Amino acid sequence: MNDMTPLKPNDFATDQEVRWCPGCGDYAILKGVQRTMAEMGARPENTVFISGIGCSSRFPYYMETYGFHTIHGRAPALATGVKLANPDLDVWIITGDGDGLSIGGNHMMHVLRRNLDCQILLFNNEIYGLTKGQYSPTSREGTRSPSTPYGSVDHPAEPGTFALGSGARFIARCIDTAQKQMPGILKRAHAHKGASFVELYQNCIVYNDDVFAGFTEKKQAPFTQLWLEHGQPMLFANGEKGIALDADTLSLKIVHVVDGDWEAAGVRVHDEKNRVMAGLLVAMRHNEGMPVALGVIYEDPAPSFEEDVRTQNVEAAKGKVVDLEALIKKGQTWEVNQKKLREV
């Protein structure tokens, strides 16, 4: 589709049967992404979805764009090649907590460190779904699974902390069912020049059902979710509570807001460029009684990897003439004399 006719979400849906378990959170994420594509005017011919292995990695089959279903954990490496070959393409990496943080952890670290201009959507359901429910790098301690029948003794990885430690310049979080907020977060990720890391809490209805219910349950959501907005106070519980910094312990704490005076209560204003605060916010969900930080947690742009590579190549080519034969013969070369070979 090469014309500029406005597209609808269904224009990004393929004719392939969507094959996830009934009730899987992946369906909601797929709809959210297709809706986002349409709203931001994305073009199928300029968009690529690249995935590894796992339930989430079936995603490219269901997007009417270019796509590449690669091998376990290696989607970032393939995406790097695609972006270097054609920097003008919009590259989206689809991965899961197992695919992206276990066998693909090394690749994930380097694509974030290099700051490749791409959008990384990590579906986190805290379990291996495709291979029938083994515990994953993000599974909680005590998780019982076929591979941990007596309960996992591993300390789980925190995706946001991992991304921040790897040098990510954009970190955000969303919930699979948060369809109102998801398009805005994905648009922000797309607008960011560099690697955007978006963690999506996704419910696995078969092997880890309701693992996030503690903060996703609708009635409790206002009291368990902290939706962040740059330049705005960190308020939740309908504005009756907020997040403040404990100066003695340099940790975050909940404070009560009286008569809407959040400043008097010491509530912090969200600053997306504050890397130290970002680290505290991503870790906050592991502190009992604290809400889960959602939305754009951190953004501090820097030059992208392919932009630097392109600039370097242009500079290196200045004043040089393309000569393939000279390149081939450069260095240690020799000529085979057929006559002398016959004499030997």
Side-chain angles (χ1 to χ4, degrees), residues 5 17 61 115 139 151 157 186 207 226 258-260 298 301 315 332:
T5 304
E17 178 187 0
Y61 294 106
N115 200 32
S139 294
L186 297 182
Y207 297 110
L226 172 66
V258 180
D259 297 329
Y298 179 67
E315 290 297 322
Q332 295 182 345

Side-chain angles (χ1 to χ4, degrees), residues 149-192:
Y150 303 110
S152 170
V153 297
D154 279 8
H155 181 69
E158 168 50 55
T161 302
F162 172 89
L164 198 62
S166 299
R169 313 292 300 200
F170 181 101
I171 298 172
R173 277 188 185 146
C174 193
I175 302 168
D176 53 9
T177 55
Q179 293 297 299
K180 181 180 178 180
Q181 294 90 346
M182 189 182 297
I185 292 172
L186 297 182
K187 289 175 189 176
R188 285 286 308 277
H190 178 262
H192 175 81

Side-chain angles (χ1 to χ4, degrees), residues 12 68 182 237 299 324:
F12 289 93
F68 200 161
M182 189 182 297
E299 181 181 24
L324 181 60

Side-chain angles (χ1 to χ4, degrees), residues 116-197:
L116 185 78
D117 188 18
C118 62
Q119 294 73 240
I120 303 165
L121 306 187
L122 186 140
F123 296 23
N124 183 11
N125 55 21
E126 296 188 0
I127 206 75
Y128 276 106
L130 186 68
T131 51
K132 307 301 183 287
Q134 298 86 348
Y135 86 115
S136 82
T138 59
S139 294
R140 303 174 193 187
E141 293 181 35
T143 298
R144 292 180 178 273
S145 75
S147 54
T148 54
Y150 303 110
S152 170
V153 297
D154 279 8
H155 181 69
E158 168 50 55
T161 302
F162 172 89
L164 198 62
S166 299
R169 313 292 300 200
F170 181 101
I171 298 172
R173 277 188 185 146
C174 193
I175 302 168
D176 53 9
T177 55
Q179 293 297 299
K180 181 180 178 180
Q181 294 90 346
M182 189 182 297
I185 292 172
L186 297 182
K187 289 175 189 176
R188 285 286 308 277
H190 178 262
H192 175 81
K193 297 304 177 185
S196 300
F197 183 87

Side-chain angles (χ1 to χ4, degrees), residues 3-326:
D3 61 41
M4 297 305 292
T5 304
L7 301 178
K8 298 178 180 179
N10 284 343
D11 291 320
F12 289 93
T14 69
D15 60 358
Q16 298 298 299
E17 178 187 0
V18 182
R19 300 184 65 184
W20 287 312
C21 300
C24 175
D26 288 354
Y27 286 97
I29 298 174
L30 176 62
K31 290 300 181 182
V33 171
Q34 290 170 341
R35 176 185 165 195
T36 302
M37 294 289 112
E39 288 183 3
M40 69 183 189
R43 306 306 299 180
E45 66 274 12
N46 197 54
T47 306
V48 186
F49 280 84
I50 301 174
S51 66
I53 295 296
C55 295
S56 63
S57 292
R58 298 188 61 81
F59 214 85
Y61 294 106
Y62 310 137
M63 292 298 300
E64 190 59 62
T65 63
Y66 287 108
F68 200 161
H69 190 179
T70 72
I71 55 179
H72 210 185
R74 272 65 174 183
L78 273 293
T80 300
V82 169
K83 195 67 180 181
L84 287 176
N86 190 347
D88 295 327
L89 290 175
D90 284 337
V91 175
W92 297 74
I93 296 176
I94 305 297
T95 186
D97 48 303
D99 179 67
L101 297 179
S102 183
I103 191 171
N106 192 47
H107 293 274
M108 181 68 72
M109 176 182 71
H110 291 302
V111 77
L112 293 171
R113 174 183 63 82
R114 287 173 173 152
N115 200 32
L116 185 78
D117 188 18
C118 62
Q119 294 73 240
I120 303 165
L121 306 187
L122 186 140
F123 296 23
N124 183 11
N125 55 21
E126 296 188 0
I127 206 75
Y128 276 106
L130 186 68
T131 51
K132 307 301 183 287
Q134 298 86 348
Y135 86 115
S136 82
T138 59
S139 294
R140 303 174 193 187
E141 293 181 35
T143 298
R144 292 180 178 273
S145 75
S147 54
T148 54
Y150 303 110
S152 170
V153 297
D154 279 8
H155 181 69
E158 168 50 55
T161 302
F162 172 89
L164 198 62
S166 299
R169 313 292 300 200
F170 181 101
I171 298 172
R173 277 188 185 146
C174 193
I175 302 168
D176 53 9
T177 55
Q179 293 297 299
K180 181 180 178 180
Q181 294 90 346
M182 189 182 297
I185 292 172
L186 297 182
K187 289 175 189 176
R188 285 286 308 277
H190 178 262
H192 175 81
K193 297 304 177 185
S196 300
F197 183 87
V198 181
E199 179 185 9
L200 296 165
Y201 293 117
Q202 176 258 323
N203 188 51
C204 176
I205 196 169
V206 175
Y207 297 110
N208 214 15
D209 193 23
D210 287 336
V211 70
F212 302 120
F215 65 87
T216 60
E217 203 277 324
K218 191 173 182 179
K219 290 183 179 180
Q220 293 300 316
F223 307 95
T224 57
Q225 299 176 12
L226 172 66
W227 286 95
L228 300 167
E229 185 177 348
H230 182 64
Q232 296 300 314
M234 299 183 193
L235 297 170
F236 67 106
N238 303 314
E240 295 179 0
K241 295 181 180 180
I243 300 299
L245 180 66
D246 188 320
D248 294 327
T249 61
L250 295 181
S251 60
L252 299 181
K253 64 180 181 180
I254 295 175
V255 292
H256 292 272
V257 178
V258 180
D259 297 329
D261 193 350
W262 57 267
E263 289 181 290
V267 175
R268 298 281 301 192
V269 171
H270 182 44
D271 178 6
E272 293 175 350
K273 292 190 183 314
N274 190 327
R275 191 173 186 276
V276 174
M277 182 58 69
L280 295 175
L281 287 169
V282 296
M284 190 169 62
R285 68 169 286 232
H286 301 290
N287 299 329
E288 187 176 354
M290 299 294 282
V292 175
L294 299 164
V296 178
I297 297 172
Y298 179 67
E299 181 181 24
D300 190 12
S304 65
F305 177 66
E306 75 285 352
E307 179 183 340
D308 285 343
V309 170
R310 175 185 277 186
T311 300
Q312 184 183 65
N313 289 342
V314 170
E315 290 297 322
K318 284 183 177 178
K320 296 181 180 179
V321 178
V322 178
D323 189 338
L324 181 60
E325 184 176 0

